[in-house]
Amino acid sequence: ESNLEVRVREESVKSSKARIGSVASTFIPEVSLYAQGEDSELKKVHESPTAGVFANLNLFNGFRDVEKNKINNLNYETNKLEFKKSYNEDVFRAKKYYLEALRILEEIKILTEHEKINKNNRELIQKKVSSGLSLKSEEFIFKKIELSFLP
């Protein structure tokens, strides 16, 4: 929900949903009122006031409003699908990164344990070499093996 792209898609869905019924407003009659009158002592004009009402009604416009409503419905469905796609892609990426982080943590744990074992082995070999129980070459072989594990 905090992802900007997901929020933009969500607002786009809301916007397109709001447009679905907007075409129906073209069938609502338009009513206008007017009033006019003048009474001036300076001009010596005395007109009787007039008032009126204008009404317009959209009876037929060549089915443009029907087609526009179909387009609005299609836009709404498209935006809904794009939102779901975007949301699912973000969820997939989040899960992927989470699993990758778990794998890395497990790898660190294994490497840390491996390092402890190597340290113990290194100390053991150094003690054997310093006490004369092993040859110095055994220590070099161990160092060579250790270096082969480095990236």
Side-chain angles (χ1 to χ4, degrees), residues 1-3 86-102:
E1 292 181 359
S2 63
N3 187 320
S86 179
Y87 183 81
N88 287 336
E89 285 174 348
D90 282 353
V91 168
F92 175 77
R93 271 194 301 271
K95 285 181 180 179
K96 178 181 153 188
Y97 294 148
Y98 175 73
L99 292 174
E100 181 68 14
L102 287 179

Side-chain angles (χ1 to χ4, degrees), residues 30-41:
E30 179 184 325
V31 178
S32 302
L33 299 172
Y34 74 93
Q36 177 181 356
E38 186 176 333
D39 190 15
S40 174
E41 293 295 324

Side-chain angles (χ1 to χ4, degrees), residues 131-147:
S131 66
L133 295 173
S134 289
L135 299 172
K136 185 77 173 166
S137 61
E138 192 173 331
E139 185 178 359
F140 293 134
I141 292 170
F142 182 78
K143 284 183 181 181
K144 182 180 177 187
I145 292 170
E146 269 189 316
L147 292 174

Side-chain angles (χ1 to χ4, degrees), residues 25-149:
S25 67
T26 61
F27 292 108
I28 297 173
E30 179 184 325
V31 178
S32 302
L33 299 172
Y34 74 93
Q36 177 181 356
E38 186 176 333
D39 190 15
S40 174
E41 293 295 324
L42 296 174
K43 294 182 183 178
K44 304 285 187 222
V45 176
H46 296 287
E47 277 190 28
S48 58
T50 58
V53 176
F54 288 115
N56 291 325
L57 178 62
N58 179 12
L59 295 176
F60 182 72
N61 67 359
F63 297 111
R64 285 189 304 264
D65 46 6
V66 174
E67 293 304 316
K68 181 68 175 165
N69 203 34
K70 286 180 184 177
I71 289 170
N72 286 345
N73 282 328
L74 288 174
N75 283 338
Y76 172 66
E77 293 300 322
T78 300
N79 287 337
K80 264 191 351 183
L81 290 174
E82 286 177 355
F83 168 74
K84 286 181 183 178
K85 177 186 173 214
S86 179
Y87 183 81
N88 287 336
E89 285 174 348
D90 282 353
V91 168
F92 175 77
R93 271 194 301 271
K95 285 181 180 179
K96 178 181 153 188
Y97 294 148
Y98 175 73
L99 292 174
E100 181 68 14
L102 287 179
R103 184 192 66 76
I104 290 171
L105 288 173
E106 187 64 28
E107 200 171 291
I108 289 171
K109 183 179 166 186
I110 290 170
L111 289 173
T112 303
E113 188 63 33
H114 189 261
E115 178 60 27
K116 285 180 189 175
I117 292 170
N118 276 351
K119 183 179 177 186
N120 288 338
N121 286 342
R122 191 179 320 110
E123 289 171 357
L124 181 64
I125 288 175
Q126 286 173 345
K127 285 180 184 176
K128 284 172 69 176
V129 168
S130 62
S131 66
L133 295 173
S134 289
L135 299 172
K136 185 77 173 166
S137 61
E138 192 173 331
E139 185 178 359
F140 293 134
I141 292 170
F142 182 78
K143 284 183 181 181
K144 182 180 177 187
I145 292 170
E146 269 189 316
L147 292 174
S148 70
F149 287 120

